């Protein structure tokens, strides 16, 4: 597909189907137009292609040329009509809902969970031989949840097969009723001990659609997740998608396999990290869930915080973090009972948006906590391998507790990409930037951006067929570059400060000492870079050690360069009046809200 000039891509989401048209303008690929329409996988329409056609029709009208005729995408492109390729992602109908099973919860079952999440699945439950549930309880849970697919793992190659056989028997006994029609044959992917393959076949063949791939944990020292992830996506297309209303037609239209929406986002994240040799963190905060993606030390991880969202599950955010943690970001007095009622109203009426500036400030305070909690959950799963340097008898392995260090390091993070309504559609871009700074607390020098129209899923599947086109559009049309954050590590005591010398592209230089506890903003337009020299003083450390200078080229953005000397970990004043005064000062510095909105 290297000679393609025009690409049509859709993302069939749970509520909205989005279509984009990408074309080569002679020098590079660019986004030309986009359209969207309600997704139609559920009653009364029950045909996903109707929503896709409606979104494509809007693109046709904006592009001024036909793209679909007689129920088919017009291919290849001519001077007056059609495109060279059509690709799609999907999370319609609830996306890919999976259960995973492994022998040891903190070892093979955790590796299986990482494999499923990385493939774009929602992990409904994790079953393990040592999860303290009785066999009948595990069977009842599988029957109740009715997953689209099960990933079965367990044991290193050459190890015991007894516990794997027991898990296979539990899956066979459960034999859950299909979610997607009576003809649906539940796919089971086995990615465990090679010596257990025969016993798994004996238990499951004939009852379910069994696929066997390489062990995802062949030794204690190594994970091999990619074969399981690729097979999950294959089975998603062949079994799950094929039985969803209208998907057989959509599959016939496409020129590349349809990918689960989160899996496509993850593939794009991995592509960016590999292409640029950087460490990256991405977050998509939605109404019901918050997805976090990361690539650290070359390892891709994804987590889904299914109880952290800004509408359907906003009450869960409040319950998990506590009302005090939400109110610490609000500079004015709020009646707690009124706040709880507002949050419950948002859950009942999820499509409503803030009507006043105070409501906006409160919503963004909640978003900070949802993002913080989602990152904490992500850190707990994105870890090194557990049990690597411990006794390897099965008895000792069962006794091991979680122990791997998180791969996520805010000190080595290069790029943060945010998406989701509260970030992508914030009234002012600096609001998005500060929400992510407060929630993630980066250390050192970190670039921030937002996905302007949530184009990452389409670009992820596009990267599989034309990586150049995906990277062009990602850089030029997908991201809104917010700027960079300079943030020293360490407590903000009276002796701490940073001296920042910024040499701008026009030759001008800014030399300032920023005391602890402040935020400063230096304008630097998108597309420009500045040579920055940062000298930490006192207890501050920019990553090279206390007192050691850090020099780096720093990219700008619509906000510019933000110097954050509030310290790490970020601790707000205990006194309500002092905290409110500090917040108002920071918000005013960034011009976050109109004057007097925070009084």
């Amino acid at each position: 597909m290297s000679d393609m000039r025009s690409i049509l891509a859709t993302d069939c989401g749970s509520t909205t189907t989005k279509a984009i048209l990408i074309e080569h303008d002679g020098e590079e690929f660019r986004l030309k137009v986009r359209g969207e329409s309600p997704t139609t996988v559920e009653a009364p329409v029950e045909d996903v292609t109707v929503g896709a056609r409606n979104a494509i029709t809007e693109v046709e009208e904006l592009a001024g040329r036909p793209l679909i005729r007689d129920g088919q995408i017009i291919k290849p492109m001519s001077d007056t009509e059609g495109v060279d390729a059509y690709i799609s992602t999907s999370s319609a109908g609830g996306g890919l809902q999976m259960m995973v099973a492994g022998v040891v919860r903190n070892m093979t079952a955790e590796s299986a969970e990482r494999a499923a999440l990385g493939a774009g699945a929602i992990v409904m439950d994790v079953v393990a031989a040592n999860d303290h549930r009785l066999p009948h309880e595990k069977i009842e849970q599988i029957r109740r949840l009715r997953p689209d697919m099960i990933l079965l793992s367990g044991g290193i190659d050459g190890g015991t097969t007894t516990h794997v056989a027991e898990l296979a028997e539990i899956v066979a006994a459960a034999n859950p009723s299909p979610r997607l029609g009576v003809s649906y044959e539940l796919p089971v992917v086995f990615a465990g001990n090679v010596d257990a393959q025969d016993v798994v076949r004996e238990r499951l063949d004939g009852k379910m659609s069994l696929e066997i791939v390489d062990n995802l944990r062949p030794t204690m020292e190594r994970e091999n997740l990619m074969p399981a992830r690729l097979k999950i996506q294959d089975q998603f297309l062949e079994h799950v998608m094929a039985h969803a209303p209208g998907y057989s037609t959509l599959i016939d239209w496409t020129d590349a396999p349809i990918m689960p929406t989160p899996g496509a986002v993850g593939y794009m994240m991995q592509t960016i990290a590999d292409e640029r040799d950087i460490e990256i963190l991405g977050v998509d905060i939605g109404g019901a869930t918050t997805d976090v993606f990361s690539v650290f030390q070359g390892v891709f991880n994804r987590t889904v915080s299914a109880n952290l969202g800004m509408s359907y599950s906003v009450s869960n955010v409040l319950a998990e973090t506590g009302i005090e943690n939400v109110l610490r970001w609000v500079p004015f007095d709020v009646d707690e009972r009124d706040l709880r009622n507002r949050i419950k109203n948002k859950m009942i009426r999820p499509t409503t948006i803030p009507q006043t500036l105070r409501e906006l400030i409160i919503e963004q305070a909640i978003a900070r906590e949802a993002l913080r909690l989602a990152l904490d959950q992500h850190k707990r799963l994105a870890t090194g391998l557990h049990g690597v340097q411990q006794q390897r008898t099965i008895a000792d392995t069962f006794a091991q507790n979680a122990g791997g260090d998180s791969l996520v390091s805010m000190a080595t993070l290069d790029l943060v990409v945010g998406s989701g309504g509260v970030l992508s559609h914030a009234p002012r871009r600096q609001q998005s930037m500060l929400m992510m700074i407060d929630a993630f607390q980066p250390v050192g020098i970190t670039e921030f951006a937002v996905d302007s129209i949530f184009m990452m899923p389409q670009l992820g599947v596009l990267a599989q067929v034309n990586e150049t086109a995906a990277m062009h559009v990602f850089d030029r049309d997908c991201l809104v570059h917010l700027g960079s954050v300079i943030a020293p590590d360490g407590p903000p005591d009276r002796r701490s400060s940073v001296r920042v010398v910024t040499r701008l592209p026009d030759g001008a230089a800014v030399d300032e000492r920023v005391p602890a506890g402040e935020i400063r903003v230096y304008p630097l337009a998108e597309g420009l870079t500045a040579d920055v020299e940062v000298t930490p003083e006192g207890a501050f450390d920019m990553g090279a050690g206390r007192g050691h200078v850090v020099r780096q080229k720093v990219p700008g953005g619509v906000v510019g360069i933000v110097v954050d000397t509030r310290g790490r970990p970020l601790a707000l004043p205990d006194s309500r009046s002092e905290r409110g005064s500090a917040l108002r000062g920071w918000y005013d510095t960034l011009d976050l809200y109109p004057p007097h909105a925070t009084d």
Side-chain angles (χ1 to χ4, degrees):
M1 294 189 182
S2 59
D3 59 345
M4 64 175 61
R5 300 167 295 162
S6 181
I7 306 144
L8 178 65
T10 55
D11 172 40
C12 303
S14 56
T15 58
T16 305
T17 295
K18 298 164 283 289
I20 60 174
L21 181 65
I22 296 167
E23 292 186 346
H24 195 270
D25 62 8
E27 296 182 359
E28 59 186 1
F29 287 92
R30 296 297 302 266
L31 171 70
K32 293 302 178 183
V33 294
R34 65 183 297 268
E36 61 180 49
S37 176
T39 297
T40 53
V41 74
E42 298 176 348
V45 181
E46 294 188 327
D47 184 349
V48 73
T49 62
V50 173
R53 283 199 300 267
N54 291 340
I56 294 169
T57 298
E58 185 174 346
V59 169
E60 278 185 322
E61 294 171 353
L62 294 170
R65 73 168 192 267
L67 301 177
I68 192 167
R69 181 188 300 124
D70 299 329
Q72 294 292 324
I73 306 294
I74 303 170
K75 294 182 289 188
M77 176 185 177
S78 69
D79 291 338
T80 58
E81 63 183 15
V83 293
D84 291 318
Y86 170 65
I87 53 179
S88 187
T89 62
S90 176
S91 58
L96 172 58
Q97 301 181 23
M98 287 186 64
M99 293 185 70
V100 301
V103 172
V104 181
R105 178 63 183 91
N106 292 323
M107 290 179 63
T108 49
E110 188 175 283
S111 293
E113 186 176 11
R114 279 195 283 264
L117 287 165
I122 296 170
V123 176
M124 307 169 80
D125 195 6
V126 180
V127 175
N130 68 332
D131 66 9
H132 307 299
R133 286 181 287 189
L134 296 174
H136 77 273
E137 293 174 320
K138 298 173 185 177
I139 291 169
E140 288 173 2
Q141 179 74 339
I142 295 172
R143 287 177 177 171
R144 184 181 69 82
L145 293 179
R146 298 168 66 187
D148 298 325
M149 191 185 307
I150 295 175
L151 173 60
L152 176 61
S153 65
I156 61 172
D157 287 344
T160 180
T161 63
T162 304
H163 298 287
V164 179
E166 291 173 358
L167 286 173
E169 287 176 354
I170 286 171
V171 171
N175 195 18
S177 301
R179 186 171 67 97
L180 296 170
V182 293
S183 62
Y184 181 77
E185 192 173 27
L186 183 74
V188 177
V189 176
F190 177 64
N193 181 0
V194 293
D195 293 344
Q197 291 179 0
D198 289 340
V199 71
V200 170
R201 284 194 186 94
E202 180 183 325
R203 302 294 195 279
L204 298 179
D205 255 352
K207 288 189 173 182
M208 298 170 183
S209 176
L210 177 65
E211 295 286 342
I212 294 178
V213 298
D214 294 343
N215 194 350
L216 53 76
R217 192 75 179 264
T219 67
M220 286 201 178
E221 295 82 7
R222 188 166 70 92
E223 268 188 343
N224 180 32
L225 305 183
M226 193 53 65
R229 283 176 175 167
L230 292 175
K231 182 56 69 174
I232 288 169
Q233 291 184 351
D234 287 345
Q235 294 297 292
F236 171 72
L237 186 64
E238 182 177 339
H239 289 267
V240 181
M241 299 287 285
H243 287 83
Y247 273 111
S248 57
T249 303
L250 194 70
I251 291 168
D252 289 341
W253 286 358
T254 58
D255 295 290
I258 296 173
M259 293 179 68
T261 297
V265 175
Y267 189 89
M268 190 63 200
M269 288 284 183
Q270 184 80 65
T271 301
I272 297 160
D274 293 344
E275 180 81 13
R276 298 182 178 176
D277 191 25
I278 61 173
E279 297 196 330
I280 186 171
L281 178 72
V283 61
D284 175 27
I285 179 168
T289 66
T290 297
D291 283 21
V292 181
F293 309 81
S294 71
V295 181
F296 284 90
Q297 301 177 33
V299 178
F300 168 71
N301 278 288
R302 167 184 169 249
T303 53
V304 182
S305 298
N307 60 337
L308 301 176
M310 292 304 297
S311 58
Y312 297 102
S313 57
V314 67
S315 288
N316 293 333
V317 177
L318 185 66
E320 192 160 335
T321 190
I323 197 165
E324 296 82 7
N325 278 336
V326 171
L327 291 178
R328 65 181 174 152
W329 303 110
V330 179
F332 45 78
D333 291 335
V334 177
D335 180 78
E336 291 189 11
R337 182 176 178 181
D338 179 64
L339 176 61
R340 293 181 188 277
N341 288 337
R342 288 178 183 275
I343 289 173
K344 290 172 183 175
N345 284 336
K346 178 70 173 182
M347 185 178 64
I348 296 168
R349 301 175 180 85
T351 60
T352 57
I353 61 174
Q355 299 299 303
T356 67
L357 283 169
R358 288 201 165 205
E359 288 180 0
L360 177 68
I361 292 169
I362 291 170
E363 178 176 85
Q364 292 181 350
I366 297 169
R368 285 172 170 83
E369 290 303 302
L371 292 168
R372 180 183 65 82
L373 293 170
L375 180 62
D376 287 346
Q377 292 182 13
H378 184 77
K379 287 179 177 178
R380 290 196 291 272
L381 188 68
T383 62
L385 302 186
H386 296 140
V388 170
Q389 296 178 341
Q390 304 179 21
Q391 291 293 323
R392 298 190 187 181
T393 66
I394 192 68
D396 289 332
T397 300
F398 269 103
Q400 292 169 9
N401 294 317
D405 293 330
S406 179
L407 296 173
V408 177
S409 167
M410 304 314 288
T412 62
L413 178 61
D414 298 297
L415 173 64
V416 177
V417 180
S419 67
V422 71
L423 295 176
S424 296
H425 302 311
R428 297 184 180 182
R429 295 296 186 187
Q430 52 266 47
Q431 295 169 2
S432 303
M433 193 169 187
L434 190 61
M435 277 188 274
M436 291 188 283
I437 294 172
D438 290 343
F440 300 150
Q441 298 186 34
V443 173
I445 300 175
T446 311
E447 185 180 358
F448 279 75
V450 291
D451 180 350
S452 58
I453 56 172
F454 195 53
M455 210 188 308
M456 294 277 278
Q458 295 101 317
L459 298 185
V461 68
L462 175 59
Q464 293 198 326
V465 297
N466 192 321
E467 187 174 304
T468 300
M471 291 303 297
H472 283 178
V473 177
F474 176 79
D475 284 328
R476 310 293 192 274
D477 302 307
C478 175
L479 289 192
V480 175
H481 296 274
L482 301 175
S484 298
V485 176
I486 298 172
D489 197 8
D493 59 33
R494 286 179 295 178
R495 298 178 297 107
S496 298
S497 63
V498 292
R499 181 187 175 193
V500 182
V501 180
T502 306
R503 293 177 177 84
L504 301 173
D506 62 3
V510 178
D511 185 346
E512 285 193 1
R513 178 173 276 102
V514 183
E518 294 193 9
I519 289 179
R520 296 277 178 88
V521 183
Y522 302 95
L524 183 64
E526 187 172 356
L528 299 179
T529 60
D531 292 308
V532 173
E533 178 182 288
V534 186
T535 306
E537 299 171 345
F540 280 162
D541 180 354
M542 282 298 298
R546 291 186 181 182
H548 288 270
V549 179
V550 171
R551 297 177 180 87
Q552 189 171 315
K553 282 191 175 296
V554 176
V558 294
V559 179
I561 298 174
V562 176
V563 179
D564 179 2
T565 62
R566 296 176 296 170
R568 299 291 185 265
L570 175 58
L572 301 178
D574 293 329
S575 163
R576 177 176 292 187
S577 61
E578 290 181 8
R579 185 170 63 246
S581 177
L583 289 172
R584 282 189 289 271
W586 299 332
Y587 294 174
D588 289 345
T589 297
L590 279 164
D591 192 24
L592 225 61
Y593 307 105
H596 309 300
T598 58
D599 294 343

